[in-house]
Amino acid sequence: MNAIPSQLPPPANLAAAYTPVAFRPAFILLLQLDMRFTDIVRKAREPMIAQIKLAWWRDAFAAEPALRPKGEPLLQTLGACGDVISPSALEDLVSAWELLLGEEEWAAQDVEAHAALRGDAIFGSYAAWMGEGCDVRSLSQQWAMDALRVEFPSKFVALDNQPLPALPKGRKIRPLSILAMSVRNVSGLRLIGHALTGW
């Protein structure tokens, strides 16, 4: 359960490596689910098919653990995580990606709504686990928008330039700052340096 799966991209692996062991499986799972939903939207030729796939995940999350579909490794991992991940975080993650279905070019308001939901599901969950009492909403939304820019450059509509939120320096919140920095066009060495030092 504590091994970091190789299917995550290197920056996510690095963020997971800095996650406390007790929460690492849940954090990895959120990143894996986000990657799965990204892939569903990226490969969507028919929005209705993608909607059906996301609805399947929504229903699976809502089901009692014993009644969830068998054979899906991510659902098995979710069961093993117990109640570490809140149902609302899973709901928000699905809803975030549903917002981006069916449009050739995404409207700014949909991108903002997606970023709020996606950021809160992943960054908000992690901050709650750590009990930091810090507000990561601005950082999480900027990460989600920057990630979209990287993942879907042809569909992303740039919003008005805003100052980038400062990266948190605390060791416990380091996984979030690693993810945020990873989509800011920095080198791998710079990212590793930040992971080691917080700067």
Side-chain angles (χ1 to χ4, degrees):
M1 278 291 292
N2 292 333
I4 300 172
S6 60
Q7 64 263 36
L8 287 175
N13 278 335
L14 183 61
Y18 277 82
T19 302
V21 172
F23 298 101
R24 189 175 298 161
F27 191 56
I28 288 173
L29 178 58
L30 281 175
L31 296 175
Q32 288 179 311
L33 289 168
D34 185 60
M35 189 168 67
R36 178 72 66 87
F37 299 160
T38 304
D39 200 50
I40 288 173
V41 173
R42 178 183 293 114
K43 294 179 177 178
R45 297 293 180 266
E46 294 291 336
M48 183 61 69
I49 300 300
Q51 179 67 60
I52 290 171
K53 290 180 179 179
L54 291 175
W56 182 90
W57 280 100
R58 186 191 301 279
D59 292 343
F61 292 152
E64 292 294 327
L67 300 179
R68 287 173 181 152
K70 309 300 182 185
E72 170 50 66
L74 297 185
L75 290 180
Q76 294 175 1
T77 302
L78 178 62
C81 286
D83 59 357
V84 177
I85 302 175
S86 71
S88 62
L90 298 170
E91 172 75 18
D92 284 351
L93 198 55
V94 175
S95 297
W97 287 106
E98 284 180 331
L99 285 169
L100 302 183
L101 292 175
E103 299 294 338
E104 289 298 320
E105 190 175 81
W106 296 326
Q109 63 266 26
D110 290 334
V111 169
E112 290 177 329
H114 165 89
L117 289 167
R118 185 185 184 188
D120 193 53
I122 297 175
F123 280 50
S125 291
Y126 184 92
W129 298 334
M130 295 301 102
E132 286 293 281
C134 63
D135 186 355
V136 298
R137 285 175 296 178
S138 178
L139 181 70
S140 70
Q141 291 177 30
Q142 187 63 51
W143 162 77
M145 287 191 283
D146 288 342
L148 275 187
R149 187 179 293 108
V150 172
E151 295 155 350
F152 299 91
S154 65
K155 299 189 75 170
F156 185 84
V157 177
L159 305 179
D160 293 337
N161 289 331
Q162 299 290 334
L164 291 176
L167 297 175
K169 298 296 191 293
R171 174 62 176 78
K172 286 171 67 176
I173 216 78
R174 189 70 48 80
L176 303 186
S177 63
I178 291 170
L179 290 178
M181 180 174 275
S182 73
V183 289
R184 292 187 180 183
N185 297 319
V186 300
S187 68
L189 286 176
R190 176 70 183 90
L191 188 61
I192 292 170
H194 171 73
L196 290 171
T197 66
W199 294 94

